[in-house]
């Protein structure tokens, strides 16, 4: 049937992407919205494209070659894609297909001018817009020219930029097909783009209109700067009128050309305020129809707007769904703080990881974009809790505090509510009621806490062994309550707070009395009972066992990330049994850890021990035997010398004996408790590994029963959904595929520190003027200054460090600490004074600056930099 090749726009809607591509499907959907005017037209379907591709079998071979290329192999991609385009453009359109197209043209008017527009099946999707990847031709006239340009649109599926985009996003070239939209041209006075949410801040209540004279191509191509209107609640709240010196106009004979705009018109607005407001009203109607914020191309023709395209805005961070607050009902506005920035893990988490963290967390948490957020609206609204929250956030991450203060400065965004009753829990925070009671400075308390944690995990391991099926899930729900009881142990909280408060006291008082910044950084070197710093030093001991064994070292140099059986292979080598035993002992103690360890679905070191091989080899190369013990003792001696120096200088001051005695009490306190700060996380991750092993056994049973194709599919279900699957032996395969696609899309998003219910990502600032011009500002967390080569590392498995290198990375959770023993300094994009990276940097005496926004983009791998850990900035050196 020839009619299958051509469908009128009025016949299609957004469900028919496979038939008419993303653009055609959206235009069909738009044409069905009341009050939205879309230029008339038709779609040449993907069936036509497939028929053309079948005419040239040679394309198949070239697609095979393309699929084997790296996205970075630009020259080969350029050559192959050009060959494919030439082949497609050279294929004569079969007569029946050409006839179907010319009939559709005749219905609209053969002599009219048309826009011929590519519409691929993988564009204008919620997770990938593919904007600008295929071609559009304007003001095309006559059937012959239109047929020629349809061929060009088919060929544009294989432009170099489109091919590279698909390769980078892991999209198979054979799964994408090209439809073509042919629409009557409109010749507008003005045209541009409407974003129904602010594309910069993400605010869903602020629409942004970009406008210029003539066709929208002048804006899209960057030929002119547009007028920009910001519209909120039916009012223009901001606008910038640009000098628009040029425009693109249609030619009477076909095609387009740039024209100069008269000087007196250049600074005239392309739209009136009333027109911008009316356009936004249309945009809100379109947004409501598609159910998400839209990027809309529009034209103004004779005082009426025509909509020529609408696609989802794929770069916006999603908004958490609010949970009503019992005392007040749901509030209109909410303020959310990122959990990932506090946990030093801002990557997206899979659904099982998210739900397990929610079930074991001490406060309610909300999911958005694969990340977790805490709603702090209630605590900000209450004057009594607001100051404490801001102080806590400010000590951890000044950017979070500044962002929260920015929101508070806005009139009425956070309403002022009465204070909660004393001791009553508040939404978004721990129980109110002031600081925990002080405890004695007694190392035995820390020993007792560690023993309690170990006993709890041993009981969990013992009791879970006999549980399976639905009974396992009932057991786990009880285990989560024990998990939370351990986390909220008053003695544990008192010990953590004692160490942190002593640190703050020492830094504040010694700066006041001695004029020296961050003295506690030296006083806490090699503090006892720090399980995370011990983990880094213990890997140096593993390197000591391996270093003398040349066969083992050579073998390990050939181990890849996927070589998970390498430990068994070691025993065949001279010295290999000792090496294997040393690594196995390390994994027994620390194998539950990994990068991103708060997500239970991440592979643990014990599951993927090859992750540690590059770090072990760095230690073999960069250190001498006995380095761990020497390192620890050097730090301990430096701390002791600093203590004696501080106390002698204090005694020389007026009222010096009292000051020295107070400082001595606080030094003893910080050294007793600061190491324990790392232990609760170690305990959490230990429990998580036990949960994970039990759930994976259930997953294996589901695979054996044919319920799931592979056991890792459980990672894309929540805990409750997995419970249901285990009970019913039925799973929604489509749901798992949707979750996998969503997770891939979340990886491209950058989570904000603070997010409002309007969708606005609120960025804080340091607001400092005490740094040199051009310096990159962050938060000082570990004192000292160091120069060295920047190593920008995004994956610990790719670490290749030399002595003296400075590690630059987005975040460091405890699993990164084995790298800390071999570096000279640390720079991260995320972090605060008491997050793990900062604590371990101080333990090892590494100058460190954290919270430096976009550090991995602003600093290039291999550049020489100077890290000012005392003052909180980084200089890029010539």
């Amino acid at each position: 049937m020839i009619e299958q090749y051509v469908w009128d726009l009025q016949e299609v809607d957004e469900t028919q992407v496979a038939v008419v591509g993303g653009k055609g499907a959206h235009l069909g959907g738009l044409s069905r919205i009341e009050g939205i005017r879309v230029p008339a037209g038709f779609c040449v379907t993907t069936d036509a494209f497939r028929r053309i591709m079948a005419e040239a079998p040679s394309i198949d071979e070239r697609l095979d070659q393309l699929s084997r290329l790296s996205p970075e192999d630009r020259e080969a991609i350029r050559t192959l894609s050009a060959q494919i385009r030439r082949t497609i453009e050279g294929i004569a359109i079969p007569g029946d297909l050409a006839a179907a197209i010319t009939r559709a043209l005749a219905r609209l008017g053969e002599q009219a001018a048309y826009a011929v527009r590519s519409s691929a099946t993988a564009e204008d999707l919620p997770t990938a817009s593919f904007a600008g990847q295929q071609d559009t031709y304007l003001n095309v006239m006559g059937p012959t020219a239109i047929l020629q340009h349809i061929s060009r649109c088919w060929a544009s599926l294989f432009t170099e930029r489109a091919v590279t985009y698909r390769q980078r996003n892991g999209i198979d070239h054979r799964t994408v097909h090209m439809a073509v939209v042919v629409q009557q041209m409109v010749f507008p006075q003005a045209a541009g783009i409407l974003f129904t949410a602010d594309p910069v801040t993400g605010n869903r209540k602020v629409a942004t209109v970009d406008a210029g004279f003539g066709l929208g191509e002048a804006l899209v191509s960057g030929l002119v700067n547009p007028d920009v209107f910001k519209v909120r609640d039916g009012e223009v709240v901001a606008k910038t009128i640009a000098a628009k010196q040029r425009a693109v106009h249609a030619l009477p004979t076909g095609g387009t050309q740039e024209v100069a705009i008269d000087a007196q018109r250049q600074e005239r607005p392309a739209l009136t305020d009333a027109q911008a407001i009316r356009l936004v009203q249309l945009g809100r109607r379109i947004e409501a129809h598609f159910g998400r914020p839209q990027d809309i191309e529009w034209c103004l023709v004779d005082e009426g707007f025509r909509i020529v395209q609408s696609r989802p805005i794929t770069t916006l961070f999603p908004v958490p769904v609010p949970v009503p607050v019992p005392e007040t009902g749901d509030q209109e506005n909410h303020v959310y703080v990122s959990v990932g920035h506090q946990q030093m893990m801002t990557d997206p988490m899979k659904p099982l990881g998210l739900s397990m963290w929610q079930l074991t967390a001490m406060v309610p948490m909300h999911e958005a974009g694969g990340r977790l957020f805490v709603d702090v609206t209630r605590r900000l609204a209450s004057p009594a809790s607001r100051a404490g929250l801001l102080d806590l956030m400010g000590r951890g991450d000044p950017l979070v505090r500044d962002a929260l203060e920015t929101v508070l400065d806005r009139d009425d965004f956070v309403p002022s509510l009465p204070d909660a009753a004393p001791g009553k829990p508040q939404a978004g925070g721990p129980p109110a009621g002031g600081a925990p009671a002080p405890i004695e400075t007694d190392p035995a308390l820390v020993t007792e806490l560690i023993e309690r944690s170990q006993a709890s995990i041993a009981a969990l391991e013992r009791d879970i062994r006999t549980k399976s099926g639905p009974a396992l899930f009932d057991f786990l729900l009880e285990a989560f309550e024990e998990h939370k009881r351990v986390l909220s142990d008053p003695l544990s909280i008192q010990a953590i707070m004692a160490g942190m408060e002593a640190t703050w006291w020492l830094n504040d008082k010694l700066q006041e009395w001695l004029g020296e910044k961050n003295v506690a950084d030296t006083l806490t070197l090699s503090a006892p009972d720090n399980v995370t710093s011990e983990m880094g030093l213990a890997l140096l001991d593993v390197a000591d066992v391996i270093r003398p064994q040349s066969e083992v070292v050579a073998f390990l140099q050939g181990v890849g990330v996927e070589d998970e059986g390498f430990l068994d292979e070691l025993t065949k080598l001279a010295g290999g049994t000792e090496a294997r035993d040393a690594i196995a002992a390390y994994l027994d103690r620390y194998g539950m850890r990994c990068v991103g360890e708060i997500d239970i679905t991440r592979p643990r070191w014990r599951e993927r021990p090859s992750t540690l091989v590059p770090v072990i080899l760095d230690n073999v190369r960069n250190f001498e035997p006995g380095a761990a013990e020497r390192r620890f003792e050097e730090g301990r001696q430096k701390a002791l010398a600093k203590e004696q120096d501080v106390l002698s200088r204090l005694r020389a001051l007026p009222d010096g004996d009292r000051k020295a005695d107070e400082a001595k009490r606080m030094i003893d306190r910080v050294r007793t408790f600061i190491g324990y700060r790392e232990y609760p996380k170690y305990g959490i991750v230990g429990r998580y590994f036990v949960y994970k092993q039990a759930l994976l056994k259930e997953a294996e049973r589901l695979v054996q029963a044919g319920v799931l194709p592979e056991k890792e599919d459980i990672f894309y279900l929540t805990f409750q959904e997995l419970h249901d699957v285990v009970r019913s032996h039925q799973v929604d395969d489509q749901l798992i595929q949707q979750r996998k696609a969503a997770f891939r899309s979340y990886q491209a998003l950058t989570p904000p520190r603070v997010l409002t219910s309007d969708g606005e990502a609120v960025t804080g600032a340091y607001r400092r003027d005490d740094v040199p011009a051009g310096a990159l500002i962050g938060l000082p967390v570990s004192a000292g200054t160091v120069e060295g080569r920047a190593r920008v590392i995004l994956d610990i498995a790719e670490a290749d460090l030399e002595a003296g290198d400075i590690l630059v990375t987005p975040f460091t959770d405890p699993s990164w600490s084995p790298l800390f023993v071999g570096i000279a300094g640390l720079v991260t994009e995320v972090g605060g004074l008491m997050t793990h990276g900062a604590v371990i940097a101080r333990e090892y005496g590494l100058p460190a600056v954290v919270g430096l926004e976009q550090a991995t983009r602003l600093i290039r791998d291999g550049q020489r930099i100077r890290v000012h850990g005392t003052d909180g900035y980084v200089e890029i050196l010539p």
Side-chain angles (χ1 to χ4, degrees):
M1 284 178 58
I2 56 174
E3 300 310 321
Q4 68 183 332
Y5 294 129
V6 177
W7 286 22
D8 191 89
L9 272 181
Q10 300 280 349
E11 297 179 277
V12 299
D13 62 26
E14 57 270 27
T15 65
Q16 291 162 296
V17 171
V19 180
V20 295
K23 190 177 286 120
H26 275 80
L27 284 166
L30 283 166
S31 65
R32 292 162 178 254
I33 304 172
E34 188 179 346
I36 302 300
R37 298 171 69 184
V38 177
F42 60 87
C43 299
V44 182
T45 66
T46 52
D47 282 341
F49 173 76
R50 275 189 283 267
R51 182 167 169 189
I52 292 296
M53 293 289 278
E55 299 276 329
S58 66
I59 290 176
D60 263 354
E61 184 185 331
R62 291 194 178 115
L63 287 178
D64 285 339
Q65 290 175 270
L66 261 188
S67 66
R68 291 193 290 269
L69 294 177
S70 157
E72 310 310 319
D73 194 348
R74 302 291 294 275
E75 190 55 45
I77 289 174
R78 186 177 299 123
T79 302
L80 265 175
S81 55
Q83 290 170 358
I84 295 171
R85 288 198 306 278
R86 280 197 299 274
T87 303
I88 293 171
E89 288 185 37
I91 297 169
I93 297 178
D96 58 336
L97 175 52
I101 293 168
T102 52
R103 271 198 301 277
L105 277 172
R107 286 196 296 273
L108 291 174
E110 275 191 12
Q111 300 313 308
Y114 290 89
V116 182
R117 314 173 71 194
S118 307
S119 180
T121 53
E123 68 174 6
D124 296 354
L125 305 179
T127 56
S129 75
F130 285 75
Q133 297 306 308
Q134 282 89 40
D135 290 349
T136 288
Y137 301 97
L138 299 178
N139 203 32
V140 182
M141 303 173 79
T144 304
I146 286 168
L147 289 170
Q148 182 185 28
H149 283 83
I150 287 171
S151 287
R152 288 182 181 170
C153 282
W154 287 329
S156 78
L157 190 64
F158 297 99
T159 60
E160 182 189 343
R161 66 179 181 273
V163 167
T164 303
Y165 188 94
R166 288 196 294 273
Q167 306 238 131
R168 288 191 197 286
N169 284 275
I171 296 167
D172 184 347
H173 301 298
R174 295 173 191 279
T175 63
V176 185
H177 301 107
M178 181 66 83
V180 181
V181 175
V182 180
Q183 269 182 298
Q184 285 182 339
M185 272 293 291
V186 292
F187 303 101
Q189 293 92 40
I193 300 164
L194 159 64
F195 297 97
T196 63
D198 189 313
V200 177
T201 68
N203 195 319
R204 304 320 198 254
K205 292 188 176 176
V206 176
T208 301
V209 178
D210 289 2
F213 294 124
L215 293 167
E217 289 302 291
L219 268 59
V220 174
S221 66
L223 183 64
V224 296
N225 290 326
D227 296 339
V228 180
F229 299 81
K230 302 270 188 190
V231 178
R232 180 177 181 134
D233 299 330
E235 180 185 351
V236 175
V237 292
K239 65 180 170 183
T240 305
I241 306 304
K244 299 169 289 295
Q245 297 176 339
R246 306 191 68 74
V248 175
H249 284 177
L251 291 168
T253 54
T256 61
Q257 72 172 21
E258 291 178 23
V259 297
I261 296 175
D262 295 341
Q264 65 270 27
R265 281 188 69 220
Q266 288 179 5
E267 297 194 27
R268 192 182 301 166
L271 293 178
T272 65
D273 286 8
Q275 287 170 330
I277 290 165
R278 192 161 82 245
L279 176 60
V280 170
Q281 288 169 344
L282 296 176
R284 293 287 178 221
R285 200 175 295 178
I286 294 167
E287 179 183 67
H289 175 85
F290 289 118
R292 62 179 62 233
Q294 297 287 300
D295 162 356
I296 298 165
E297 293 181 22
W298 57 269
C299 298
L300 177 65
V301 187
D302 301 327
E303 294 304 306
F305 287 103
R306 306 285 191 279
I307 305 300
V308 295
Q309 188 165 343
S310 185
R311 61 168 74 94
I313 307 175
T314 58
T315 55
L316 297 176
F317 200 86
V319 182
V321 177
V323 175
V325 179
E327 298 91 5
T328 62
D330 191 26
Q331 302 160 2
E332 184 180 348
N333 296 328
H334 292 263
V335 183
Y336 302 95
V337 171
S338 162
V339 173
H341 284 81
Q342 295 164 57
Q343 290 294 333
M344 297 292 281
M345 210 293 277
T346 54
D347 290 347
M349 295 166 68
K350 296 189 178 90
L352 185 62
L354 291 164
S355 65
M356 293 286 277
W357 194 258
Q358 287 171 307
L359 285 165
T360 53
M362 300 307 299
V363 295
M365 291 182 178
H366 313 277
E367 185 273 334
R371 280 81 168 184
L372 291 169
F373 293 83
V374 172
D375 186 345
V376 296
T377 317
R378 182 69 180 81
R379 292 186 71 186
L380 284 177
S382 166
S385 57
R386 181 186 306 147
L389 176 69
L390 291 174
D391 184 55
L392 186 66
M393 292 295 172
R395 285 190 182 276
D397 185 340
L399 293 178
V400 173
R401 175 175 183 143
D402 190 75
L404 291 174
E405 288 176 333
T406 299
V407 174
L408 286 169
D409 286 343
R410 295 175 184 164
D411 294 343
D412 301 329
F413 188 87
V414 177
S416 203
L417 297 174
D419 292 338
K424 191 173 182 181
Q426 297 182 340
I439 54 174
E440 292 299 313
T441 303
D442 182 359
L445 293 173
V446 173
T447 305
E448 179 189 340
L449 285 165
I450 291 172
E451 286 172 354
R452 278 191 205 176
S453 176
Q454 290 170 338
S456 175
I457 293 176
L460 173 67
E461 288 175 323
R462 182 189 68 237
D463 296 343
I464 205 169
R465 283 187 195 127
T466 58
K467 305 296 187 293
S468 64
L472 169 67
F473 289 82
D474 295 336
F475 172 81
L476 282 172
L477 288 172
E478 291 177 20
F480 297 161
E481 293 308 307
E482 165 67 3
H483 184 122
K484 289 194 273 192
R485 189 198 64 72
V486 171
L487 267 183
S488 60
D489 180 341
L491 184 63
S492 178
I493 293 170
Q494 287 170 327
I496 293 168
M497 291 308 297
M500 294 201 297
E501 286 168 353
T503 302
W504 299 334
W505 188 95
L506 285 166
N507 279 337
D508 291 346
K509 289 296 184 184
L510 297 181
Q511 182 164 5
E512 178 189 337
W513 292 339
L514 300 176
E516 191 174 343
K517 288 183 182 177
N518 302 332
V519 181
D521 294 1
T522 308
L523 293 169
T524 53
L525 288 171
S526 298
D529 301 312
N530 187 319
V531 70
T532 309
S533 63
E534 288 166 4
M535 180 171 72
L537 296 173
L539 207 58
L540 287 175
D541 292 336
V542 172
D544 284 354
V545 175
I546 291 169
R547 191 179 292 106
Q549 313 299 337
S550 57
E551 273 190 59
V552 172
V553 173
F555 171 78
L556 290 177
Q557 285 167 341
V559 170
V561 179
E562 303 302 322
D563 296 339
E564 295 313 331
F566 80 94
L567 285 175
D568 295 331
E569 295 294 314
L570 278 175
T571 56
K572 301 171 185 175
L573 307 172
T577 301
E578 293 86 343
R580 187 201 61 182
D581 291 349
I583 295 172
Y586 185 86
L587 292 172
D588 283 344
R589 176 113 204 254
Y590 304 110
M592 79 292 279
R593 310 215 85 149
C594 68
V595 173
E597 61 192 11
I598 69 169
D599 181 356
I600 197 172
T601 72
R602 292 286 192 102
R604 310 284 133 175
W605 289 342
R606 201 183 292 176
E607 295 169 313
R608 193 175 288 172
S610 57
T611 307
L612 292 172
V613 170
V615 191
I616 293 170
L617 289 172
D618 282 349
N619 288 349
V620 166
R621 186 175 68 247
N622 294 333
F623 291 93
E624 297 294 324
E629 191 177 342
R630 277 198 309 279
R631 244 344 241 280
F632 188 81
E633 185 56 25
E634 283 168 11
R636 201 178 69 80
Q637 292 297 335
K638 278 185 189 172
L640 190 58
K642 189 65 179 176
E643 175 182 336
Q644 291 167 345
D645 169 60
V646 162
L647 296 179
S648 66
R649 286 161 63 199
L650 286 174
R651 287 195 183 98
L653 298 175
D655 197 18
D657 287 344
R658 180 189 62 80
K659 289 173 179 171
D661 289 346
E662 284 186 30
K664 174 60 176 162
R665 274 201 306 276
M666 286 300 177
I667 292 168
D668 290 347
R669 199 163 177 77
V670 82
R671 290 196 66 80
T672 298
F673 292 118
I674 201 64
Y676 178 72
R677 163 75 178 79
E678 292 293 297
Y679 202 88
K681 183 75 167 281
Y682 176 77
I684 290 171
V685 175
R687 296 182 72 89
Y688 262 36
F689 192 48
V690 178
Y691 305 152
K692 181 180 187 180
Q693 288 173 304
L695 291 172
L696 282 175
K697 282 180 186 168
E698 285 303 311
E700 284 167 7
R701 293 186 189 104
L702 292 171
V703 171
Q704 287 163 5
V707 179
L708 288 174
E710 50 190 48
K711 63 183 182 180
E712 284 80 10
D713 282 350
I714 68 167
F715 297 160
Y716 296 93
L717 299 170
T718 65
F719 180 83
Q720 186 56 54
E721 288 166 348
L722 178 54
H723 189 179
D724 294 341
V725 170
V726 167
R727 210 167 37 223
S728 68
H729 267 220
Q730 291 183 315
V731 70
D732 184 344
D733 294 325
Q734 193 174 1
L735 175 67
I736 289 175
Q737 294 310 313
Q738 288 170 351
R739 294 270 176 81
K740 287 180 177 179
F743 179 74
R744 282 194 298 271
S745 73
Y746 295 153
Q747 288 174 309
L749 298 175
T750 301
R753 282 174 165 82
V754 172
L755 184 65
T756 74
S757 49
D758 287 351
E760 183 179 1
V762 188
T763 306
Y766 286 108
R767 307 188 192 283
R768 289 171 52 192
D769 54 10
D770 59 343
V771 298
L776 308 176
I777 302 175
L779 178 67
V781 295
S782 185
T785 301
V786 66
E787 287 184 20
R789 177 180 67 154
R791 292 311 317 270
V792 179
I793 296 175
L794 306 180
D795 181 348
I796 193 172
E798 294 169 5
D800 180 15
L801 295 162
E802 300 285 348
D805 282 348
I806 295 168
L807 174 63
V808 181
T809 192
F811 57 80
T812 58
D813 60 9
S815 69
W816 286 76
S817 64
L819 293 186
F820 284 24
V821 296
I823 58 176
L826 174 69
V827 179
T828 67
E829 297 177 341
V830 174
L833 197 59
M834 284 297 167
T835 47
H836 301 278
V839 171
I840 305 307
R842 290 194 291 272
E843 276 278 317
Y844 289 163
L846 300 175
V849 174
V850 303
L852 199 162
E853 290 275 77
Q854 299 192 352
T856 57
R857 296 178 199 170
L858 297 170
I859 300 169
R860 292 196 310 276
D861 187 55
Q863 280 185 318
R864 285 197 67 76
I865 61 174
R866 184 183 295 127
V867 177
H868 295 262
T870 306
D871 295 310
Y873 64 91
V874 175
E875 293 178 286
I876 297 174
L877 302 175

